[in-house]
Amino acid sequence: MDFTPTPEQEAARELAARIFGDLSTPERLAGPGGGTDGELWKELGAAGLAGAVEETGLLGLVLMLEEQGRTTAQVPFAASCVYGLLAVAAHGTDEQRERLLPGLRDGSAVAVGAFPARGGIVVDALPDGRARLSGAVPWVPWLRDATHVLVAVRGGTEKDVHSLWMARARDVGCEPVELTAPWSAGRLVLDGVEAERIGGPEAYGDVLAAARTAFAGLQAGVCAGSLDRAVEYTNEREQFGRPLAAKQGVQLRAAEAYMDIEAIRVTAYEAAWRRDEGLDHESHALTAAWWASEAGKRVVHTGQHLHGGMGADLDHPVHRHFLWGRQLDGYLGCGAELLEELGEVIASGAGAADGGEAA
């Protein structure tokens, strides 16, 4: 395994870091509203960062999402790349790729995902391979900003088979929902909405694993940003004539947080690298997601704790990292759920394919 970024991946990461750093400042994030930062989204599209994912792969996306997480930039970059660009590129037909990918590459289209798959959504097949979907999903991140929605259905048109359906956001119902993190979420209402199938029975598992890996990379950046702020604060804040960072207890908490971040990062890198190499990666994606959940919440709690009383200020920049970290903690499965699923994968022998083991 070699996680050293290629020149293309490193260039994409550096460009993402510069754009997020320049445009996603605490002052801009403190502005009114919790929706997508339109100026930042246009800049990302103009820079071609979404389209670059087709060449840099999932590992390249993880590297860019780390940079987004460091600033908690208010854009649906992870969702649109995973549920839109990567899903269609890997599982769409030639006609679907030709029609959908251009907008997803330049940012004029935004895809979000109703994931993980839930029961209760009725799929009525139509003669042309499309279907009409009926049902509801309690909350979908970034739904209020979407042009397309990738709906994961448990059961689909075949018994006990998960299926993916792409619907236009203008055709679905969206009732605003407030989450822990300000992700422009909405309750998805499907009332006989026409949708097109994306991929076959294998598509759901691949997209879910890619999503878990990508959002683990985002969590690594969120946590790194939280710790960076804590280190800066404890070096500047003095108590009894000495910086807080000189205290052993502070150093130990920061060191433990650093090791947790490295665990999230390396497991996300491994899962992404394996997918890019065409290797089995389901158990590795679950491992990365478990670390993102369990270690992620420890780190953002540490970041807030090391700020002392300032950490309780809802307007302090570190509080955004706390909110994002806790949201990512439970997105696509909390720690206990992921561990149970990982155990089932290992017990079935699927996690040992290609000689791989869960980290």
Side-chain angles (χ1 to χ4, degrees):
M1 293 180 290
D2 184 4
F3 304 148
T4 303
T6 64
E8 293 77 13
Q9 290 171 336
E10 185 61 28
R13 185 197 67 77
E14 291 177 355
L15 180 57
R18 184 163 67 251
I19 293 174
F20 286 130
D22 289 345
L23 295 182
S24 189
T25 61
E27 292 74 23
R28 284 174 60 88
L29 292 170
T36 292
D37 185 328
E39 180 183 348
L40 174 56
W41 185 248
K42 289 179 182 178
E43 186 67 24
L44 293 171
L49 287 182
V53 174
E54 291 180 274
E55 296 184 8
T56 63
L58 184 55
L59 180 55
L61 175 59
V62 165
L63 293 170
M64 289 188 279
L65 289 175
E66 276 194 77
E67 300 305 326
Q68 179 188 359
R70 288 179 186 276
T71 61
T72 60
Q74 197 68 15
V75 287
F77 190 52
S80 196
C81 285
V82 172
Y83 300 126
L85 195 140
L86 288 180
V88 174
H91 303 287
T93 64
D94 290 341
E95 187 277 330
Q96 287 172 329
R97 287 194 288 269
E98 183 178 355
R99 172 166 46 88
L100 296 173
L101 287 180
L104 293 168
R105 290 181 184 126
D106 64 21
S108 59
V110 177
V112 299
F115 272 67
R118 296 175 173 85
I121 296 178
V122 178
V123 180
D124 293 322
L126 298 175
D128 60 356
R130 292 174 175 258
R132 293 190 183 278
L133 307 182
S134 299
V137 179
W139 58 277
V140 176
W142 306 105
L143 181 60
R144 282 177 266 169
D145 299 319
T147 60
H148 295 79
V149 185
L150 187 65
V151 183
V153 179
R154 180 183 301 155
T157 57
E158 303 172 48
K159 186 178 180 180
D160 297 326
V161 173
H162 296 99
S163 57
L164 298 180
W165 302 87
M166 185 73 82
R168 295 175 300 185
R170 68 187 183 191
D171 296 332
V172 308
C174 175
E175 301 170 359
V177 173
E178 297 303 324
L179 303 180
T180 301
W183 285 359
S184 298
R187 179 175 182 266
L188 177 67
V189 181
L190 304 166
D191 185 11
V193 172
E194 189 171 309
E196 57 186 314
R197 181 78 179 259
I198 301 292
E202 77 291 342
Y204 172 74
D206 178 62
V207 175
L208 178 60
R212 283 171 166 162
T213 303
F215 281 98
L218 182 62
Q219 179 75 303
V222 169
C223 292
S226 175
L227 183 60
D228 287 346
R229 293 187 182 281
V231 169
E232 180 181 7
Y233 177 80
T234 55
N235 273 287
E236 294 176 351
R237 180 77 165 86
E238 292 190 356
Q239 189 177 70
F240 304 115
R242 298 177 61 199
L244 288 175
K247 297 182 178 295
Q248 188 179 47
V250 172
Q251 295 170 5
L252 290 174
R253 287 293 301 274
E256 289 171 352
Y258 174 81
M259 294 304 296
D260 272 338
I261 295 169
E262 288 300 295
I264 301 170
R265 178 179 288 125
V266 73
T267 52
Y269 285 5
E270 181 180 11
W273 176 84
R274 291 183 67 88
R275 183 185 188 274
D276 291 342
E277 293 295 315
L279 302 174
D280 175 75
H281 59 286
E282 181 183 11
S283 64
H284 301 79
L286 283 163
T287 302
W290 182 84
W291 275 104
S293 175
E294 292 295 306
K297 63 187 171 188
R298 286 198 298 266
V299 174
V300 294
H301 275 271
T302 293
Q304 199 162 18
H305 186 200
L306 291 180
H307 277 77
M310 293 300 296
D313 183 355
L314 302 185
D315 295 325
H316 195 284
V318 78
H319 189 65
R320 285 184 60 87
H321 292 269
F322 177 79
L323 295 178
W324 278 58
R326 290 312 310 258
Q327 186 70 59
L328 288 165
D329 162 28
Y331 184 50
L332 301 178
C334 66
E337 294 170 327
L338 295 165
L339 199 60
E340 180 181 9
E341 190 175 339
L342 177 59
E344 292 172 353
V345 170
I346 294 174
S348 70
D354 304 311
E357 295 182 357

